[in-house]
Amino acid sequence: MVNKNTESPEQKQPLVKPGIKPPPSKVQMDDIARLAGVSVSTVSRALSHSPLVSAKTQVRIAELAASLKYSVNVGAQNLRRGQNRTVAVVIPYDSSSRQHVSDPFFIGMLGSIADALTLQGYDMLLSRIDAERLDLAAQYCDSGRAVGVIVIGQWRHHDQLNELAARHLPLVVWGAELPKQMYCTVGSDNVEGGSLATGHLLKTGRRRIAFFGDTQMPEVAQRFEGYERAHAALGLPMSEELNVVVPFVAEAAREAVKSLVAKKIAFDAIFACSDLLAITAIGALRDVGLSVPNDIAVIGYDDVDMASYCHPALTTIHQSIEVAGRALVDALLAIQRGDEALPNHLPTRLVIRASA
Amino acid sequence: MVNKNTESPEQKQPLVKPGIKPPPSKVQMDDIARLAGVSVSTVSRALSHSPLVSAKTQVRIAELAASLKYSVNVGAQNLRRGQNRTVAVVIPYDSSSRQHVSDPFFIGMLGSIADALTLQGYDMLLSRIDAERLDLAAQYCDSGRAVGVIVIGQWRHHDQLNELAARHLPLVVWGAELPKQMYCTVGSDNVEGGSLATGHLLKTGRRRIAFFGDTQMPEVAQRFEGYERAHAALGLPMSEELNVVVPFVAEAAREAVKSLVAKKIAFDAIFACSDLLAITAIGALRDVGLSVPNDIAVIGYDDVDMASYCHPALTTIHQSIEVAGRALVDALLAIQRGDEALPNHLPTRLVIRASA
DNA sequence: GTGAAAGCGCTAACAT
DNA sequence: ATGTTAGCGCTTTCAC
């Protein structure tokens, strides 16, 4: 009943009037303490399982708290402890075409990251940020809302990411490892993936493999490197005209097919840099009367769920979303602890289905 | 340099030793104040655009803050102001098969909610919660981390949701409006959607329409009601055996098709309660030698991106993800303000493509 | 227009 | 094993 204020007895009026919301009047540690007949310190200690408070009291207080549906105010706790258990996850979007966020692969990763964070007792703050303003992500750290940032997708924003990292905030990016990069990346082994895909096509007799992707993006560039290596390994030639610039939006794949056909460029296979592109390409091929895999073999990348449901079932390069999420989170928490986290190349796997 | 502590001059030692992290030593309001030659109050006021501080000073302080990359500590601000601008978004998962989170529709909604929240100046705390433990969502509010909760997907957890709502936390659920519900829902007009889909099939001459969905879920039950109404409107009979229990996982649709065929139940169309089910069903039909739409017309629900890319392009019921996200957020914020938010039925639209 | 000081809800020395 | 107290970084009254 007694205020902690020991000055004048009548000075009970809080300086700041609380908002006009008495009904949901939050129960707080004070209340628990009063009801339990102990001090707030004891409650605090009990609730954080301090060995200083007897097991008996701990249980009693825990039950009291539960019955009152009391939960420690995390904001106040963080402030006092000077810590924080929240990670910001950022999905960059292209200000012109917000499209790519719909790519099922990124999306799946979100769930996987959420699970990995939960497992470590962290909360996830999700936000989409204009890819041209990635610097805004720093705010989450500057303002103490998050201890670090995971960016899903490197796109062609290497420089911006480097600048972000220069601000010394814990940062991990899903993407490709690049020379002189100041931030930590986690990504699939793109060179290997590209090589696996291309190798499979070559081994099954395809010789004119169209590459669908935008090599301005580091990950795509590395997949293309795998494409080249697979050719080189077998001493087979490549053709410049088969390297088609296709950004990660479905429509682009459709047009790429059309343009190849219109230009009468001969090809007997497509290696698309995402399943989305591959599936759309298959549709476009069908529209022009080409059959998959008889006329054209098609191979994708990611192995999203839909890859096995579509027709023909998609042969593709599998990246494990679960492993990816865990790796991203582990790397971030390591950096935050002050440990060094090296760029991580996750293994890929060829999944052979019907399309190639 | 001087501590606010006016007691003993040598009492500079902070009571609590800061963690061993001097390098990223956070700049705070103190620092800005000192550099600007004003008090923290003035900085605080300037940064929140109080009319009490002159425009000139405001600009000066804003620039100083920007140059030091200072951002007000949101935790402390919230604590002091007794407010909070974070909303928890929960995706329930089935503890046995975490599957459904991969449904592209829910996923898309996430992005749309994120955008709507950002627009309103709110942050989004994302978490997956075991569908059997939805009560855990209350913690986000009890602990002051969030001001309210948006649950994406009602599933068959009406009762649990009601209990959650009984705790008087701002709660909005994506799902169907149910009698005696204590929480606010936002959902598409499922009866209308079901009726549109079925009506289209009936109008195009189909008479034995298999319904793929689990009517234990309120949304599905309402779509089935639309299915019934469409039949009734034309005075056409339905057949019990065509109502197939199919949960929202791809594999289930495949099996439903197989079982229908195995039992030699005649049908000339499928109305599937999600595009995912529809697309998988199409694959399964093909596997047993039935062609779409010639032998069997198939119609889906959601109109996810993939619906237009797959083959044959899917005829489906469109639900606008953007509108949905905005509606969910608007409802939640209204409730939080103390306003009443009525259950919201978003319009649906039939999108006719190739599959029906 | 500005500053001093109290206190948001909590934790952790420090003192018993 | 428990209570007392200072203070985390900020906002806002109150006094000028």
Side-chain angles (χ1 to χ4, degrees), chain A residues 28-29 41 44-45 70 73 76-77 80:
Chain A
Q28 35 189 94
M29 221 173 242
S41 332
S44 171
R45 283 191 276 250
Y70 170 75
N73 182 309
Q77 191 178 55
R80 176 59 232 240

mmCIF file of all heavy atoms in Angstrom, chain A residues 28-29 41 44-45 70 73 76-77 80, chain C residues 5-14:
data_model
loop_
_atom_site.group_PDB
_atom_site.id
_atom_site.type_symbol
_atom_site.label_atom_id
_atom_site.label_comp_id
_atom_site.label_asym_id
_atom_site.label_seq_id
_atom_site.Cartn_x
_atom_site.Cartn_y
_atom_site.Cartn_z
ATOM 1 N N GLN A 28 0.791 -5.596 -12.805
ATOM 2 C CA GLN A 28 2.249 -5.578 -12.878
ATOM 3 C C GLN A 28 2.899 -6.158 -11.635
ATOM 4 O O GLN A 28 2.225 -6.643 -10.736
ATOM 5 C CB GLN A 28 2.774 -4.198 -13.212
ATOM 6 C CG GLN A 28 1.974 -3.056 -12.628
ATOM 7 C CD GLN A 28 2.454 -1.770 -13.193
ATOM 8 O OE1 GLN A 28 1.907 -1.287 -14.184
ATOM 9 N NE2 GLN A 28 3.475 -1.194 -12.584
ATOM 10 N N MET A 29 4.199 -6.106 -11.640
ATOM 11 C CA MET A 29 4.942 -6.828 -10.621
ATOM 12 C C MET A 29 4.533 -6.422 -9.204
ATOM 13 O O MET A 29 4.444 -7.258 -8.305
ATOM 14 C CB MET A 29 6.430 -6.587 -10.814
ATOM 15 C CG MET A 29 7.234 -7.837 -10.611
ATOM 16 S SD MET A 29 8.938 -7.577 -11.045
ATOM 17 C CE MET A 29 9.123 -8.735 -12.365
ATOM 18 N N SER A 41 11.339 -7.232 -5.691
ATOM 19 C CA SER A 41 12.615 -7.886 -6.015
ATOM 20 C C SER A 41 12.443 -9.389 -5.976
ATOM 21 O O SER A 41 12.916 -10.112 -6.856
ATOM 22 C CB SER A 41 13.681 -7.510 -5.007
ATOM 23 O OG SER A 41 13.427 -6.261 -4.478
ATOM 24 N N SER A 44 10.589 -10.489 -8.963
ATOM 25 C CA SER A 44 11.471 -10.442 -10.121
ATOM 26 C C SER A 44 12.409 -11.643 -10.124
ATOM 27 O O SER A 44 12.558 -12.335 -11.123
ATOM 28 C CB SER A 44 12.273 -9.145 -10.087
ATOM 29 O OG SER A 44 13.280 -9.155 -11.076
ATOM 30 N N ARG A 45 13.011 -11.872 -8.981
ATOM 31 C CA ARG A 45 13.956 -12.992 -8.880
ATOM 32 C C ARG A 45 13.255 -14.323 -9.115
ATOM 33 O O ARG A 45 13.752 -15.180 -9.838
ATOM 34 C CB ARG A 45 14.630 -12.968 -7.520
ATOM 35 C CG ARG A 45 15.707 -11.891 -7.444
ATOM 36 C CD ARG A 45 16.566 -12.038 -6.203
ATOM 37 N NE ARG A 45 15.940 -11.395 -5.047
ATOM 38 C CZ ARG A 45 16.408 -10.291 -4.478
ATOM 39 N NH1 ARG A 45 17.490 -9.698 -4.942
ATOM 40 N NH2 ARG A 45 15.796 -9.773 -3.439
ATOM 41 N N TYR A 70 -0.223 -12.656 -15.637
ATOM 42 C CA TYR A 70 0.820 -11.649 -15.648
ATOM 43 C C TYR A 70 2.029 -12.131 -16.438
ATOM 44 O O TYR A 70 2.444 -13.275 -16.320
ATOM 45 C CB TYR A 70 1.262 -11.316 -14.225
ATOM 46 C CG TYR A 70 2.500 -10.459 -14.191
ATOM 47 C CD1 TYR A 70 2.411 -9.102 -14.500
ATOM 48 C CD2 TYR A 70 3.742 -11.009 -13.909
ATOM 49 C CE1 TYR A 70 3.553 -8.321 -14.508
ATOM 50 C CE2 TYR A 70 4.881 -10.224 -13.911
ATOM 51 C CZ TYR A 70 4.780 -8.883 -14.210
ATOM 52 O OH TYR A 70 5.905 -8.110 -14.227
ATOM 53 N N ASN A 73 6.816 -7.256 -18.217
ATOM 54 C CA ASN A 73 6.864 -6.263 -19.288
ATOM 55 C C ASN A 73 8.237 -6.275 -19.946
ATOM 56 O O ASN A 73 9.242 -5.862 -19.371
ATOM 57 C CB ASN A 73 6.568 -4.884 -18.716
ATOM 58 C CG ASN A 73 6.560 -3.825 -19.790
ATOM 59 O OD1 ASN A 73 7.491 -3.729 -20.573
ATOM 60 N ND2 ASN A 73 5.501 -3.052 -19.844
ATOM 61 N N ALA A 76 10.272 -2.861 -20.384
ATOM 62 C CA ALA A 76 10.947 -2.397 -19.174
ATOM 63 C C ALA A 76 12.131 -3.302 -18.847
ATOM 64 O O ALA A 76 13.206 -2.832 -18.461
ATOM 65 C CB ALA A 76 9.962 -2.380 -18.014
ATOM 66 N N GLN A 77 11.914 -4.578 -19.026
ATOM 67 C CA GLN A 77 12.981 -5.532 -18.741
ATOM 68 C C GLN A 77 14.197 -5.269 -19.635
ATOM 69 O O GLN A 77 15.326 -5.211 -19.155
ATOM 70 C CB GLN A 77 12.451 -6.943 -18.993
ATOM 71 C CG GLN A 77 13.350 -8.038 -18.500
ATOM 72 C CD GLN A 77 12.734 -9.401 -18.742
ATOM 73 O OE1 GLN A 77 12.385 -9.743 -19.866
ATOM 74 N NE2 GLN A 77 12.611 -10.186 -17.682
ATOM 75 N N ARG A 80 16.000 -2.044 -18.637
ATOM 76 C CA ARG A 80 16.801 -2.196 -17.431
ATOM 77 C C ARG A 80 18.027 -3.086 -17.679
ATOM 78 O O ARG A 80 19.125 -2.789 -17.266
ATOM 79 C CB ARG A 80 15.907 -2.791 -16.341
ATOM 80 C CG ARG A 80 16.589 -3.113 -15.042
ATOM 81 C CD ARG A 80 17.216 -1.874 -14.437
ATOM 82 N NE ARG A 80 18.603 -2.140 -14.133
ATOM 83 C CZ ARG A 80 19.144 -2.069 -12.931
ATOM 84 N NH1 ARG A 80 18.428 -1.662 -11.910
ATOM 85 N NH2 ARG A 80 20.391 -2.358 -12.752
ATOM 86 P P DA C 5 16.900 19.639 -10.266
ATOM 87 O OP1 DA C 5 16.912 20.164 -8.881
ATOM 88 O OP2 DA C 5 18.082 18.933 -10.814
ATOM 89 O "O5'" DA C 5 15.625 18.696 -10.419
ATOM 90 C "C5'" DA C 5 14.336 19.262 -10.191
ATOM 91 C "C4'" DA C 5 13.275 18.175 -10.276
ATOM 92 O "O4'" DA C 5 12.927 17.939 -11.674
ATOM 93 C "C3'" DA C 5 13.716 16.811 -9.739
ATOM 94 O "O3'" DA C 5 12.540 16.190 -9.244
ATOM 95 C "C2'" DA C 5 14.198 16.091 -10.973
ATOM 96 C "C1'" DA C 5 13.123 16.554 -11.967
ATOM 97 N N9 DA C 5 13.494 16.442 -13.366
ATOM 98 C C8 DA C 5 14.753 16.442 -13.912
ATOM 99 N N7 DA C 5 14.756 16.335 -15.218
ATOM 100 C C5 DA C 5 13.411 16.268 -15.554
ATOM 101 C C6 DA C 5 12.741 16.148 -16.778
ATOM 102 N N6 DA C 5 13.376 16.077 -17.954
ATOM 103 N N1 DA C 5 11.379 16.107 -16.756
ATOM 104 C C2 DA C 5 10.752 16.189 -15.563
ATOM 105 N N3 DA C 5 11.281 16.303 -14.343
ATOM 106 C C4 DA C 5 12.618 16.335 -14.418
ATOM 107 P P DA C 6 12.646 15.021 -8.190
ATOM 108 O OP1 DA C 6 12.601 15.655 -6.862
ATOM 109 O OP2 DA C 6 13.774 14.138 -8.554
ATOM 110 O "O5'" DA C 6 11.281 14.251 -8.435
ATOM 111 C "C5'" DA C 6 10.119 14.988 -8.827
ATOM 112 C "C4'" DA C 6 9.230 14.100 -9.688
ATOM 113 O "O4'" DA C 6 9.723 14.102 -11.053
ATOM 114 C "C3'" DA C 6 9.228 12.637 -9.241
ATOM 115 O "O3'" DA C 6 7.922 12.141 -9.442
ATOM 116 C "C2'" DA C 6 10.228 11.982 -10.191
ATOM 117 C "C1'" DA C 6 9.933 12.758 -11.477
ATOM 118 N N9 DA C 6 11.014 12.763 -12.457
ATOM 119 C C8 DA C 6 12.366 12.749 -12.233
ATOM 120 N N7 DA C 6 13.091 12.766 -13.336
ATOM 121 C C5 DA C 6 12.144 12.805 -14.343
ATOM 122 C C6 DA C 6 12.260 12.845 -15.740
ATOM 123 N N6 DA C 6 13.434 12.860 -16.387
ATOM 124 N N1 DA C 6 11.114 12.873 -16.465
ATOM 125 C C2 DA C 6 9.942 12.866 -15.816
ATOM 126 N N3 DA C 6 9.703 12.834 -14.496
ATOM 127 C C4 DA C 6 10.866 12.807 -13.814
ATOM 128 P P DG C 7 7.450 10.840 -8.723
ATOM 129 O OP1 DG C 7 6.102 11.081 -8.207
ATOM 130 O OP2 DG C 7 8.549 10.392 -7.853
ATOM 131 O "O5'" DG C 7 7.366 9.813 -9.937
ATOM 132 C "C5'" DG C 7 6.502 10.078 -11.039
ATOM 133 C "C4'" DG C 7 6.811 9.092 -12.136
ATOM 134 O "O4'" DG C 7 8.030 9.484 -12.794
ATOM 135 C "C3'" DG C 7 7.046 7.654 -11.637
ATOM 136 O "O3'" DG C 7 6.463 6.770 -12.563
ATOM 137 C "C2'" DG C 7 8.558 7.519 -11.697
ATOM 138 C "C1'" DG C 7 8.813 8.332 -12.951
ATOM 139 N N9 DG C 7 10.197 8.713 -13.185
ATOM 140 C C8 DG C 7 11.211 8.889 -12.270
ATOM 141 N N7 DG C 7 12.351 9.215 -12.828
ATOM 142 C C5 DG C 7 12.077 9.266 -14.190
ATOM 143 C C6 DG C 7 12.910 9.565 -15.298
ATOM 144 O O6 DG C 7 14.095 9.860 -15.296
ATOM 145 N N1 DG C 7 12.219 9.490 -16.507
ATOM 146 C C2 DG C 7 10.888 9.169 -16.625
ATOM 147 N N2 DG C 7 10.386 9.142 -17.862
ATOM 148 N N3 DG C 7 10.091 8.892 -15.604
ATOM 149 C C4 DG C 7 10.750 8.962 -14.423
ATOM 150 P P DC C 8 5.555 5.597 -12.135
ATOM 151 O OP1 DC C 8 4.279 6.129 -11.650
ATOM 152 O OP2 DC C 8 6.394 4.739 -11.283
ATOM 153 O "O5'" DC C 8 5.323 4.807 -13.499
ATOM 154 C "C5'" DC C 8 4.564 5.336 -14.585
ATOM 155 C "C4'" DC C 8 5.114 4.746 -15.867
ATOM 156 O "O4'" DC C 8 6.319 5.446 -16.211
ATOM 157 C "C3'" DC C 8 5.515 3.286 -15.721
ATOM 158 O "O3'" DC C 8 4.434 2.471 -16.206
ATOM 159 C "C2'" DC C 8 6.732 3.134 -16.639
ATOM 160 C "C1'" DC C 8 7.224 4.574 -16.872
ATOM 161 N N1 DC C 8 8.570 4.915 -16.332
ATOM 162 C C2 DC C 8 9.569 5.387 -17.187
ATOM 163 O O2 DC C 8 9.323 5.485 -18.394
ATOM 164 N N3 DC C 8 10.790 5.707 -16.674
ATOM 165 C C4 DC C 8 11.004 5.584 -15.362
ATOM 166 N N4 DC C 8 12.212 5.920 -14.898
ATOM 167 C C5 DC C 8 9.995 5.115 -14.476
ATOM 168 C C6 DC C 8 8.804 4.791 -14.994
ATOM 169 P P DG C 9 3.734 1.457 -15.187
ATOM 170 O OP1 DG C 9 2.482 1.080 -15.842
ATOM 171 O OP2 DG C 9 3.744 1.990 -13.817
ATOM 172 O "O5'" DG C 9 4.720 0.214 -15.239
ATOM 173 C "C5'" DG C 9 4.958 -0.449 -16.463
ATOM 174 C "C4'" DG C 9 6.170 -1.338 -16.291
ATOM 175 O "O4'" DG C 9 7.310 -0.510 -16.014
ATOM 176 C "C3'" DG C 9 6.066 -2.310 -15.113
ATOM 177 O "O3'" DG C 9 6.342 -3.602 -15.613
ATOM 178 C "C2'" DG C 9 7.108 -1.832 -14.125
ATOM 179 C "C1'" DG C 9 8.105 -1.136 -15.043
ATOM 180 N N9 DG C 9 8.855 -0.084 -14.395
ATOM 181 C C8 DG C 9 8.413 0.784 -13.419
ATOM 182 N N7 DG C 9 9.329 1.641 -13.038
ATOM 183 C C5 DG C 9 10.445 1.320 -13.801
ATOM 184 C C6 DG C 9 11.734 1.891 -13.834
ATOM 185 O O6 DG C 9 12.159 2.849 -13.162
ATOM 186 N N1 DG C 9 12.566 1.280 -14.750
ATOM 187 C C2 DG C 9 12.193 0.224 -15.542
ATOM 188 N N2 DG C 9 13.115 -0.254 -16.377
ATOM 189 N N3 DG C 9 10.983 -0.336 -15.530
ATOM 190 C C4 DG C 9 10.166 0.263 -14.644
ATOM 191 P P DC C 10 6.526 -4.852 -14.655
ATOM 192 O OP1 DC C 10 6.136 -6.036 -15.426
ATOM 193 O OP2 DC C 10 5.922 -4.572 -13.359
ATOM 194 O "O5'" DC C 10 8.092 -4.912 -14.460
ATOM 195 C "C5'" DC C 10 8.896 -5.371 -15.526
ATOM 196 C "C4'" DC C 10 10.317 -4.940 -15.318
ATOM 197 O "O4'" DC C 10 10.330 -3.661 -14.678
ATOM 198 C "C3'" DC C 10 11.137 -5.823 -14.389
ATOM 199 O "O3'" DC C 10 11.775 -6.825 -15.173
ATOM 200 C "C2'" DC C 10 12.143 -4.861 -13.779
ATOM 201 C "C1'" DC C 10 11.612 -3.479 -14.147
ATOM 202 N N1 DC C 10 11.515 -2.510 -13.039
ATOM 203 C C2 DC C 10 12.622 -1.724 -12.729
ATOM 204 O O2 DC C 10 13.668 -1.895 -13.360
ATOM 205 N N3 DC C 10 12.526 -0.807 -11.737
ATOM 206 C C4 DC C 10 11.372 -0.657 -11.084
ATOM 207 N N4 DC C 10 11.316 0.268 -10.119
ATOM 208 C C5 DC C 10 10.223 -1.451 -11.366
ATOM 209 C C6 DC C 10 10.336 -2.362 -12.340
ATOM 210 P P DT C 11 12.552 -7.980 -14.381
ATOM 211 O OP1 DT C 11 12.820 -9.005 -15.399
ATOM 212 O OP2 DT C 11 11.829 -8.302 -13.132
ATOM 213 O "O5'" DT C 11 13.922 -7.283 -13.968
ATOM 214 C "C5'" DT C 11 14.848 -7.016 -15.017
ATOM 215 C "C4'" DT C 11 16.140 -6.513 -14.427
ATOM 216 O "O4'" DT C 11 15.899 -5.382 -13.559
ATOM 217 C "C3'" DT C 11 16.903 -7.533 -13.592
ATOM 218 O "O3'" DT C 11 18.272 -7.341 -13.947
ATOM 219 C "C2'" DT C 11 16.635 -7.103 -12.150
ATOM 220 C "C1'" DT C 11 16.510 -5.595 -12.310
ATOM 221 N N1 DT C 11 15.664 -4.823 -11.344
ATOM 222 C C2 DT C 11 16.160 -3.667 -10.816
ATOM 223 O O2 DT C 11 17.274 -3.244 -11.070
ATOM 224 N N3 DT C 11 15.307 -3.012 -9.975
ATOM 225 C C4 DT C 11 14.028 -3.388 -9.615
ATOM 226 O O4 DT C 11 13.361 -2.707 -8.851
ATOM 227 C C5 DT C 11 13.568 -4.613 -10.215
ATOM 228 C C7 DT C 11 12.191 -5.095 -9.894
ATOM 229 C C6 DT C 11 14.386 -5.273 -11.035
ATOM 230 P P DA C 12 19.327 -8.448 -13.694
ATOM 231 O OP1 DA C 12 20.149 -8.572 -14.912
ATOM 232 O OP2 DA C 12 18.649 -9.607 -13.090
ATOM 233 O "O5'" DA C 12 20.224 -7.734 -12.601
ATOM 234 C "C5'" DA C 12 20.858 -6.522 -12.974
ATOM 235 C "C4'" DA C 12 21.489 -5.928 -11.769
ATOM 236 O "O4'" DA C 12 20.469 -5.376 -10.910
ATOM 237 C "C3'" DA C 12 22.243 -6.931 -10.901
ATOM 238 O "O3'" DA C 12 23.322 -6.223 -10.318
ATOM 239 C "C2'" DA C 12 21.224 -7.317 -9.855
ATOM 240 C "C1'" DA C 12 20.574 -5.951 -9.636
ATOM 241 N N9 DA C 12 19.239 -6.030 -9.096
ATOM 242 C C8 DA C 12 18.348 -7.066 -9.185
ATOM 243 N N7 DA C 12 17.199 -6.841 -8.595
ATOM 244 C C5 DA C 12 17.349 -5.562 -8.084
ATOM 245 C C6 DA C 12 16.493 -4.740 -7.348
ATOM 246 N N6 DA C 12 15.256 -5.103 -6.999
ATOM 247 N N1 DA C 12 16.941 -3.522 -6.989
ATOM 248 C C2 DA C 12 18.175 -3.155 -7.348
ATOM 249 N N3 DA C 12 19.072 -3.851 -8.044
ATOM 250 C C4 DA C 12 18.590 -5.051 -8.379
ATOM 251 P P DA C 13 24.780 -6.749 -10.387
ATOM 252 O OP1 DA C 13 25.574 -5.549 -10.746
ATOM 253 O OP2 DA C 13 24.752 -7.926 -11.226
ATOM 254 O "O5'" DA C 13 25.233 -7.259 -9.009
ATOM 255 C "C5'" DA C 13 25.571 -6.593 -7.861
ATOM 256 C "C4'" DA C 13 25.643 -5.109 -7.824
ATOM 257 O "O4'" DA C 13 24.305 -4.533 -7.893
ATOM 258 C "C3'" DA C 13 26.194 -4.716 -6.472
ATOM 259 O "O3'" DA C 13 26.993 -3.565 -6.491
ATOM 260 C "C2'" DA C 13 24.950 -4.523 -5.610
ATOM 261 C "C1'" DA C 13 23.855 -4.194 -6.608
ATOM 262 N N9 DA C 13 22.657 -5.014 -6.324
ATOM 263 C C8 DA C 13 22.395 -6.286 -6.741
ATOM 264 N N7 DA C 13 21.232 -6.755 -6.321
ATOM 265 C C5 DA C 13 20.700 -5.711 -5.585
ATOM 266 C C6 DA C 13 19.490 -5.566 -4.877
ATOM 267 N N6 DA C 13 18.565 -6.538 -4.818
ATOM 268 N N1 DA C 13 19.277 -4.413 -4.244
ATOM 269 C C2 DA C 13 20.209 -3.440 -4.314
ATOM 270 N N3 DA C 13 21.378 -3.451 -4.955
ATOM 271 C C4 DA C 13 21.554 -4.626 -5.569
ATOM 272 P P DC C 14 28.040 -3.345 -5.376
ATOM 273 O OP1 DC C 14 28.785 -2.095 -5.671
ATOM 274 O OP2 DC C 14 28.750 -4.637 -5.233
ATOM 275 O "O5'" DC C 14 27.141 -3.136 -4.067
ATOM 276 C "C5'" DC C 14 26.419 -1.917 -3.935
ATOM 277 C "C4'" DC C 14 25.507 -2.006 -2.737
ATOM 278 O "O4'" DC C 14 24.429 -2.930 -3.001
ATOM 279 C "C3'" DC C 14 26.197 -2.535 -1.463
ATOM 280 O "O3'" DC C 14 26.177 -1.491 -0.498
ATOM 281 C "C2'" DC C 14 25.362 -3.735 -1.047
ATOM 282 C "C1'" DC C 14 24.037 -3.486 -1.771
ATOM 283 N N1 DC C 14 23.264 -4.722 -2.058
ATOM 284 C C2 DC C 14 21.930 -4.798 -1.677
ATOM 285 O O2 DC C 14 21.403 -3.831 -1.105
ATOM 286 N N3 DC C 14 21.223 -5.939 -1.938
ATOM 287 C C4 DC C 14 21.829 -6.968 -2.548
ATOM 288 N N4 DC C 14 21.105 -8.062 -2.791
ATOM 289 C C5 DC C 14 23.188 -6.907 -2.951
ATOM 290 C C6 DC C 14 23.867 -5.786 -2.685
#
